[in-house]
Amino acid sequence: MRVLLTSFLAFVMAACATGGEVMKVEEDVASRLAAGDGVMVTIFAEPDLTGPYRINELGTLELPLAGSIQAAGLTTDELQTKIREAYLGRYLQDPRVSVEVSDPRPVYILGEVNQPGEYEYGEAMTVMQAVAKAGGFTYRANRSVFYVLHHAGEEEKKYKLTATTMLQPGDTIRIVQRFF
């Protein structure tokens, strides 16, 4: 009986977790680079190789001497390692590389906001902050749920709107009308 009750509770909790009620950003997914991200690559003592770069639509960085390096899907630490390996031995003896996101993909907000459009992503940005950037809710807006299409996703997901609901770079948010 105890096993049956435990199994039932686990099933109910899993059903609630997948019901689309609360958006939980996986740290790993949120920290992955994607096409459109701007990064600052610093190669110490090499000013001609250091600079801002943008990940192109193919997901690669085009670096002087090193050529194309696949960057989409990597963390900044993983990209640092790839860049170091690309220069190591061939062009530089002991390259010390640093990579940081300097210009993340924008977020887009549609629907029942006063100024729908593209907005700059800010670190640890919430849905409420994005709505504020878009001029606030219209009087018809549903203020309890919203839909989001994640940059790497293929379909919108419904989430409960809270003050702490976090976004990811490249998200498209849709605020729908409320039903009276």
Side-chain angles (χ1 to χ4, degrees):
M1 181 66 175
R2 179 181 240 170
V3 171
L4 184 59
L5 181 60
T6 303
S7 297
F8 176 73
L9 287 174
F11 173 76
V12 169
M13 290 173 67
C16 289
T18 60
E21 292 297 314
V22 178
M23 182 165 72
K24 293 184 179 177
V25 177
E26 298 267 341
E27 192 67 33
D28 189 48
V29 172
S31 64
R32 299 281 170 179
L33 297 168
D37 279 334
V39 294
M40 181 62 172
V41 177
T42 303
I43 302 175
F44 296 98
E46 297 295 335
D48 293 339
L49 302 177
T50 294
Y53 297 91
R54 184 158 307 274
I55 300 172
N56 66 27
E57 63 279 347
L58 300 174
T60 62
L61 277 182
E62 301 298 326
L63 297 174
L65 302 176
S68 293
I69 295 179
Q70 185 62 39
L74 301 178
T75 64
T76 54
D77 288 342
E78 292 168 340
L79 182 56
Q80 281 176 196
T81 301
K82 284 190 99 170
I83 293 171
R84 176 176 161 62
E85 290 169 355
Y87 285 115
L88 184 63
R90 292 173 53 193
Y91 303 107
L92 302 172
Q93 289 297 326
D94 185 23
R96 290 176 294 147
V97 178
S98 172
V99 175
E100 53 187 62
V101 178
S102 59
D103 186 20
R105 300 174 304 279
V107 294
Y108 304 89
I109 186 161
L110 312 168
E112 296 301 322
V113 292
N114 288 309
Q115 298 168 346
E118 175 183 310
Y119 292 92
E120 184 178 318
Y121 177 82
E123 189 169 335
M125 185 177 201
T126 67
V127 174
M128 293 301 282
Q129 290 168 336
V131 168
K133 282 187 172 199
F137 294 109
T138 66
Y139 72 92
R140 295 182 300 266
N142 182 338
R143 297 171 190 224
S144 60
V145 298
F146 71 99
Y147 292 84
V148 69
L149 175 63
H150 294 297
H151 178 73
E154 294 183 11
E155 61 184 58
E156 282 187 328
K157 294 182 182 176
K158 180 179 177 180
Y159 297 102
K160 183 177 179 182
L161 185 57
T162 68
T164 59
T165 306
M166 303 298 289
L167 293 176
Q168 300 172 26
D171 280 353
T172 300
I173 306 139
R174 187 167 58 93
I175 305 294
V176 295
Q177 285 185 349
R178 68 174 184 252
F179 294 106
F180 296 95

